[in-house]
Amino acid sequence: MISIRQLTKHYGSNTVLRGVDLDVAAGEFVVVLGQSGAGKSTLLRCINRLVQADSGTLTVAGMDALTCRDTSALRRQAAMIFQHHNVVPRLSVLKNVLTGRLGAVSTLTSILQLFSREDVALAMQCLERVELAHKARERTDALSGGQMQRVGIARALAQRPKVILADEPVASLDPNTARLVLQYLRDATRELGITVVCNLHQVDYAREFGDRIVGLAHGKLVYDGNAAQMTEADLQRIYPGQPVSAEDAEATAAKPLIRATELRV
Ligand SMILES: Nc1ncnc2c1ncn2[C@@H]1O[C@H](COP(=O)(O)OP(=O)(O)O)[C@@H](O)[C@H]1O
Ligand SMILES: [Mg+2]
Protein backbone atom coordinates (compact mmCIF):
# COMPACT_ATOMS: atom_id res chain seq x y z
CA MET A 1 0.00 0.00 0.00
CA ILE A 2 2.93 2.31 0.77
CA SER A 3 6.37 1.85 -0.71
CA ILE A 4 9.19 4.21 0.17
CA ARG A 5 12.72 4.02 -1.22
CA GLN A 6 15.72 6.12 -0.29
CA LEU A 7 13.57 9.06 0.77
CA THR A 8 15.52 12.16 1.71
CA LYS A 9 14.48 15.57 2.97
CA HIS A 10 16.60 18.56 3.94
CA TYR A 11 15.64 21.81 5.57
CA GLY A 12 18.54 24.04 4.59
CA SER A 13 21.62 22.35 6.03
CA ASN A 14 19.53 20.16 8.33
CA THR A 15 19.14 16.68 6.80
CA VAL A 16 15.93 15.37 8.32
CA LEU A 17 15.36 12.13 6.37
CA ARG A 18 18.46 10.21 5.24
CA GLY A 19 17.47 7.53 2.77
CA VAL A 20 14.40 5.96 4.38
CA ASP A 21 13.19 2.61 2.93
CA LEU A 22 9.81 1.38 4.15
CA ASP A 23 7.07 -0.87 2.80
CA VAL A 24 3.68 -0.99 4.48
CA ALA A 25 1.27 -3.74 3.44
CA ALA A 26 -2.47 -3.17 3.02
CA GLY A 27 -4.26 -3.33 6.37
CA GLU A 28 -1.08 -3.12 8.46
CA PHE A 29 -0.95 -0.92 11.59
CA VAL A 30 2.60 0.40 11.70
CA VAL A 31 3.85 2.53 14.56
CA VAL A 32 6.76 4.88 13.88
CA LEU A 33 8.64 5.32 17.12
CA GLY A 34 11.33 7.90 17.74
CA GLN A 35 12.32 10.74 19.96
CA SER A 36 11.38 14.34 19.29
CA GLY A 37 13.17 15.67 16.22
CA ALA A 38 13.80 12.19 14.76
CA GLY A 39 11.87 13.09 11.60
CA LYS A 40 8.57 11.25 12.28
CA SER A 41 6.27 14.11 11.31
CA THR A 42 8.34 14.93 8.24
CA LEU A 43 8.13 11.31 7.07
CA LEU A 44 4.36 11.23 7.55
CA ARG A 45 3.91 14.56 5.80
CA CYS A 46 5.98 13.42 2.84
CA ILE A 47 3.58 10.48 2.40
CA ASN A 48 0.63 12.75 1.59
CA ARG A 49 2.79 15.54 0.20
CA LEU A 50 2.18 18.14 2.89
CA VAL A 51 5.96 18.23 2.67
CA GLN A 52 7.80 17.75 -0.62
CA ALA A 53 10.64 15.26 -0.25
CA ASP A 54 13.93 16.02 -2.02
CA SER A 55 14.71 12.63 -3.52
CA GLY A 56 13.78 8.97 -3.50
CA THR A 57 10.56 7.27 -4.55
CA LEU A 58 7.26 7.01 -2.76
CA THR A 59 4.08 5.30 -3.90
CA VAL A 60 0.84 5.41 -1.95
CA ALA A 61 -2.19 3.38 -3.03
CA GLY A 62 -0.70 3.11 -6.51
CA MET A 63 -0.05 6.86 -6.82
CA ASP A 64 3.38 8.39 -7.21
CA ALA A 65 3.27 10.60 -4.13
CA LEU A 66 6.35 12.63 -5.07
CA THR A 67 5.31 13.72 -8.54
CA CYS A 68 1.56 13.18 -9.00
CA ARG A 69 -0.24 16.36 -10.05
CA ASP A 70 -3.45 15.63 -8.21
CA THR A 71 -2.41 16.13 -4.59
CA SER A 72 -6.06 16.28 -3.51
CA ALA A 73 -6.61 12.75 -4.87
CA LEU A 74 -3.53 11.65 -2.94
CA ARG A 75 -4.82 13.29 0.25
CA ARG A 76 -8.24 11.69 -0.20
CA GLN A 77 -6.54 8.30 -0.15
CA ALA A 78 -4.25 9.18 2.75
CA ALA A 79 -6.25 10.89 5.52
CA MET A 80 -4.41 12.62 8.33
CA ILE A 81 -5.08 12.69 12.07
CA PHE A 82 -3.18 15.36 13.99
CA GLN A 83 -2.06 15.64 17.59
CA HIS A 84 -4.40 18.55 18.22
CA HIS A 85 -7.22 16.93 16.25
CA ASN A 86 -7.79 20.13 14.22
CA VAL A 87 -11.55 20.03 14.65
CA VAL A 88 -13.54 23.25 14.27
CA PRO A 89 -14.75 23.96 17.82
CA ARG A 90 -17.90 25.95 17.00
CA LEU A 91 -19.22 23.43 14.48
CA SER A 92 -21.35 20.46 15.47
CA VAL A 93 -19.69 17.09 15.81
CA LEU A 94 -21.53 15.88 12.68
CA LYS A 95 -20.39 18.87 10.60
CA ASN A 96 -16.81 18.28 11.64
CA VAL A 97 -17.05 14.69 10.47
CA LEU A 98 -18.72 15.82 7.24
CA THR A 99 -15.74 18.02 6.48
CA GLY A 100 -14.01 14.68 5.83
CA ARG A 101 -16.28 14.42 2.77
CA LEU A 102 -15.33 17.83 1.39
CA GLY A 103 -12.53 16.45 -0.72
CA ALA A 104 -15.04 14.19 -2.44
CA VAL A 105 -17.72 16.78 -3.32
CA SER A 106 -17.65 19.66 -5.81
CA THR A 107 -16.38 23.10 -4.81
CA LEU A 108 -19.87 24.58 -5.08
CA THR A 109 -21.48 22.01 -2.82
CA SER A 110 -18.64 22.41 -0.36
CA ILE A 111 -19.01 26.22 -0.34
CA LEU A 112 -22.72 25.87 0.27
CA GLN A 113 -22.04 23.17 2.87
CA LEU A 114 -24.51 20.91 1.15
CA PHE A 115 -24.11 17.25 1.86
CA SER A 116 -25.97 14.34 0.40
CA ARG A 117 -28.09 12.02 2.49
CA GLU A 118 -25.46 9.36 1.81
CA ASP A 119 -22.70 11.56 3.17
CA VAL A 120 -24.68 12.28 6.33
CA ALA A 121 -25.40 8.56 6.77
CA LEU A 122 -21.73 7.76 6.25
CA ALA A 123 -20.67 10.43 8.78
CA MET A 124 -23.12 8.97 11.32
CA GLN A 125 -21.70 5.47 10.73
CA CYS A 126 -18.20 6.81 11.32
CA LEU A 127 -19.38 8.45 14.56
CA GLU A 128 -20.90 5.14 15.62
CA ARG A 129 -17.51 3.48 15.16
CA VAL A 130 -16.04 5.81 17.78
CA GLU A 131 -19.22 5.64 19.89
CA LEU A 132 -20.09 9.31 19.52
CA ALA A 133 -23.24 9.14 17.39
CA HIS A 134 -25.24 10.41 20.36
CA LYS A 135 -23.15 13.62 20.33
CA ALA A 136 -23.65 14.32 16.62
CA ARG A 137 -25.67 17.53 17.06
CA GLU A 138 -23.60 18.94 19.92
CA ARG A 139 -21.02 21.66 19.46
CA THR A 140 -17.61 20.10 19.26
CA ASP A 141 -16.13 22.44 21.87
CA ALA A 142 -18.44 20.84 24.45
CA LEU A 143 -16.48 17.58 24.15
CA SER A 144 -13.46 16.36 26.12
CA GLY A 145 -10.02 16.13 24.53
CA GLY A 146 -10.34 12.38 24.03
CA GLN A 147 -13.78 12.75 22.46
CA MET A 148 -12.47 15.47 20.12
CA GLN A 149 -9.74 13.12 18.94
CA ARG A 150 -12.40 10.47 18.34
CA VAL A 151 -14.17 13.04 16.15
CA GLY A 152 -10.82 13.45 14.36
CA ILE A 153 -10.77 9.69 13.77
CA ALA A 154 -14.39 9.69 12.53
CA ARG A 155 -13.59 12.57 10.17
CA ALA A 156 -10.62 10.65 8.75
CA LEU A 157 -12.79 7.52 8.34
CA ALA A 158 -15.46 9.59 6.54
CA GLN A 159 -12.93 10.28 3.82
CA ARG A 160 -13.06 6.55 3.02
CA PRO A 161 -9.28 6.56 2.76
CA LYS A 162 -7.06 3.59 2.01
CA VAL A 163 -4.45 4.93 4.42
CA ILE A 164 -4.62 6.89 7.68
CA LEU A 165 -1.57 8.84 8.78
CA ALA A 166 -1.77 9.68 12.49
CA ASP A 167 0.80 12.11 13.85
CA GLU A 168 1.12 11.58 17.61
CA PRO A 169 -2.67 11.39 17.91
CA VAL A 170 -2.63 10.85 21.69
CA ALA A 171 0.30 13.03 22.75
CA SER A 172 -1.89 15.49 24.63
CA LEU A 173 -4.14 12.94 26.35
CA ASP A 174 -3.86 11.20 29.72
CA PRO A 175 -2.81 7.52 29.55
CA ASN A 176 -6.29 5.98 29.98
CA THR A 177 -7.85 8.25 27.39
CA ALA A 178 -4.88 7.75 25.08
CA ARG A 179 -5.33 3.96 25.17
CA LEU A 180 -9.05 4.27 24.51
CA VAL A 181 -8.46 6.55 21.51
CA LEU A 182 -5.80 4.20 20.10
CA GLN A 183 -8.21 1.28 20.55
CA TYR A 184 -10.89 3.08 18.53
CA LEU A 185 -8.34 3.86 15.85
CA ARG A 186 -7.03 0.30 15.71
CA ASP A 187 -10.44 -1.41 15.81
CA ALA A 188 -12.07 0.83 13.21
CA THR A 189 -9.17 0.61 10.78
CA ARG A 190 -8.85 -3.15 11.27
CA GLU A 191 -12.55 -3.69 10.52
CA LEU A 192 -12.40 -1.45 7.46
CA GLY A 193 -9.05 -2.80 6.23
CA ILE A 194 -7.43 0.65 6.34
CA THR A 195 -3.63 0.82 6.45
CA VAL A 196 -2.30 2.96 9.32
CA VAL A 197 1.01 4.68 9.90
CA CYS A 198 0.93 6.14 13.40
CA ASN A 199 3.71 8.24 14.90
CA LEU A 200 4.15 7.78 18.62
CA HIS A 201 6.93 8.47 21.04
CA GLN A 202 5.62 6.26 23.83
CA VAL A 203 7.23 2.82 23.77
CA ASP A 204 4.46 1.07 25.68
CA TYR A 205 1.68 2.26 23.35
CA ALA A 206 3.79 1.20 20.39
CA ARG A 207 4.18 -2.28 21.88
CA GLU A 208 0.48 -2.51 22.65
CA PHE A 209 -0.99 -1.26 19.39
CA GLY A 210 1.56 -1.71 16.61
CA ASP A 211 1.34 -4.80 14.38
CA ARG A 212 4.80 -3.67 13.52
CA ILE A 213 7.13 -1.02 14.90
CA VAL A 214 9.66 0.94 12.94
CA GLY A 215 12.18 3.02 14.83
CA LEU A 216 13.43 6.30 13.40
CA ALA A 217 16.51 8.07 14.76
CA HIS A 218 18.21 11.05 13.14
CA GLY A 219 16.23 10.50 9.94
CA LYS A 220 17.18 6.83 9.47
CA LEU A 221 15.26 3.63 10.15
CA VAL A 222 17.07 1.86 12.97
CA TYR A 223 14.48 -0.81 13.78
CA ASP A 224 11.83 -2.72 11.86
CA GLY A 225 10.08 -5.61 13.51
CA ASN A 226 7.29 -6.59 15.85
CA ALA A 227 6.88 -5.48 19.44
CA ALA A 228 7.91 -8.83 20.95
CA GLN A 229 11.23 -8.84 19.09
CA MET A 230 12.24 -5.35 20.24
CA THR A 231 15.21 -5.55 22.61
CA GLU A 232 16.85 -3.01 24.93
CA ALA A 233 19.61 -2.63 22.32
CA ASP A 234 16.96 -1.76 19.70
CA LEU A 235 15.49 0.81 22.09
CA GLN A 236 18.92 2.30 22.58
CA ARG A 237 19.23 2.77 18.82
CA ILE A 238 15.77 4.35 18.64
CA TYR A 239 16.53 6.65 21.59
CA PRO A 240 20.25 7.29 21.11
CA GLY A 241 22.08 8.84 24.04
CA GLN A 242 19.14 8.28 26.33
CA PRO A 243 18.30 5.84 29.13
CA VAL A 244 17.65 2.37 27.76
CA SER A 245 14.78 0.86 29.75
CA ALA A 246 11.34 1.23 28.23
CA GLU A 247 10.06 3.22 31.23
CA ASP A 248 13.04 5.56 31.16
CA ALA A 249 12.77 6.01 27.43
CA GLU A 250 9.15 6.95 27.78
CA ALA A 251 9.82 9.35 30.64
CA THR A 252 12.47 11.07 28.56
CA ALA A 253 10.39 11.14 25.40
CA ALA A 254 7.47 12.65 27.29
CA LYS A 255 9.48 15.74 28.25
CA PRO A 256 8.05 18.69 26.37
CA LEU A 257 10.69 19.90 23.93
CA ILE A 258 10.53 23.31 22.32
CA ARG A 259 11.83 23.90 18.83
CA ALA A 260 14.49 26.61 18.66
CA THR A 261 12.32 28.48 16.16
CA GLU A 262 9.47 28.60 18.66
CA LEU A 263 11.54 30.29 21.36
CA ARG A 264 10.75 33.97 21.49
CA VAL A 265 13.70 35.49 23.34
N1 LIG B 1 9.03 23.25 8.41
C1 LIG B 1 10.28 23.05 8.91
N2 LIG B 1 11.27 23.92 8.67
C2 LIG B 1 12.52 23.71 9.15
N3 LIG B 1 12.86 22.64 9.89
C3 LIG B 1 11.92 21.75 10.17
C4 LIG B 1 10.56 21.89 9.71
N4 LIG B 1 9.84 20.83 10.14
C5 LIG B 1 10.69 20.06 10.86
N5 LIG B 1 11.94 20.61 10.88
C6 LIG B 1 13.12 20.02 11.54
O1 LIG B 1 13.24 18.69 11.10
C7 LIG B 1 13.67 17.85 12.15
C8 LIG B 1 12.66 16.71 12.32
O2 LIG B 1 11.42 17.25 12.72
P1 LIG B 1 10.10 16.39 12.81
O3 LIG B 1 9.87 15.69 11.53
O4 LIG B 1 9.03 17.31 13.30
O5 LIG B 1 10.47 15.32 13.94
P2 LIG B 1 9.54 14.55 14.96
O6 LIG B 1 8.14 14.55 14.42
O7 LIG B 1 10.14 13.18 15.06
O8 LIG B 1 9.64 15.28 16.26
C9 LIG B 1 13.82 18.73 13.37
O9 LIG B 1 15.18 19.09 13.45
C10 LIG B 1 12.97 19.92 13.04
O10 LIG B 1 13.43 21.07 13.69
MG1 LIG C 1 6.39 15.18 15.25
Side-chain angles (χ1 to χ4, degrees):
M1 181 58 63
I2 301 173
S3 178
I4 302 174
R5 289 286 172 278
Q6 288 301 303
L7 196 72
T8 65
K9 174 69 190 172
H10 304 82
Y11 285 111
S13 60
N14 185 7
T15 306
V16 179
L17 298 177
R18 302 165 187 267
V20 172
D21 291 320
L22 178 66
D23 286 304
V24 183
E28 233 182 340
F29 193 115
V30 174
V31 170
V32 180
L33 198 57
Q35 64 190 14
S36 190
K40 304 182 297 298
S41 296
T42 305
L43 176 62
L44 218 62
R45 286 163 171 266
C46 285
I47 295 174
N48 73 352
R49 196 98 159 258
L50 288 173
V51 162
Q52 178 72 48
D54 294 325
S55 63
T57 60
L58 207 173
T59 54
V60 180
M63 272 179 282
D64 183 333
L66 293 196
T67 60
C68 71
R69 289 179 178 218
D70 192 353
T71 47
S72 53
L74 175 67
R75 289 177 196 150
R76 270 203 301 279
Q77 295 297 346
M80 193 100 184
I81 297 174
F82 299 92
Q83 177 178 345
H84 295 292
H85 38 72
N86 290 26
V87 292
V88 185
R90 66 190 160 70
L91 288 185
S92 73
V93 166
L94 180 63
K95 276 196 178 154
N96 265 296
V97 177
L98 279 166
T99 61
R101 299 299 308 148
L102 288 180
V105 299
S106 74
T107 313
L108 182 64
T109 46
S110 86
I111 289 169
L112 297 176
Q113 287 204 343
L114 296 175
F115 295 97
S116 67
R117 242 179 250 277
E118 290 76 22
D119 280 348
V120 174
L122 172 64
M124 287 304 295
Q125 276 169 23
C126 295
L127 278 171
E128 273 159 27
R129 288 195 180 274
V130 294
E131 294 184 289
L132 281 179
H134 61 292
K135 301 273 188 190
R137 310 278 164 192
E138 286 189 23
R139 268 174 67 126
T140 308
D141 52 9
L143 303 185
S144 68
Q147 288 172 330
M148 283 193 206
Q149 192 55 291
R150 283 153 62 190
V151 175
I153 294 171
R155 180 182 51 192
L157 296 174
Q159 264 185 248
R160 288 206 161 126
K162 292 208 167 76
V163 175
I164 287 184
L165 307 168
D167 196 2
E168 304 213 16
V170 297
S172 31
L173 303 175
D174 66 75
N176 288 338
T177 310
R179 283 205 161 77
L180 192 69
V181 166
L182 286 171
Q183 264 162 28
Y184 280 116
L185 178 63
R186 185 184 55 188
D187 294 349
T189 52
R190 199 174 266 176
E191 278 167 29
L192 294 166
I194 297 171
T195 308
V196 180
V197 183
C198 179
N199 286 349
L200 292 174
H201 62 212
Q202 303 92 333
V203 177
D204 57 346
Y205 299 159
R207 285 189 199 275
E208 197 174 331
F209 293 98
D211 292 332
R212 177 173 153 214
I213 298 172
V214 297
L216 193 66
H218 301 308
K220 276 188 105 66
L221 283 201
V222 293
Y223 179 76
D224 187 347
N226 68 31
Q229 295 163 331
M230 196 162 60
T231 63
E232 292 295 313
D234 294 322
L235 276 177
Q236 199 153 34
R237 278 201 301 280
I238 301 170
Y239 294 94
Q242 292 197 13
V244 291
S245 80
E247 298 77 52
D248 284 353
E250 184 179 0
T252 310
K255 268 187 206 154
L257 295 175
I258 301 170
R259 240 179 227 155
T261 49
E262 288 169 4
L263 288 173
R264 292 201 184 84
V265 283

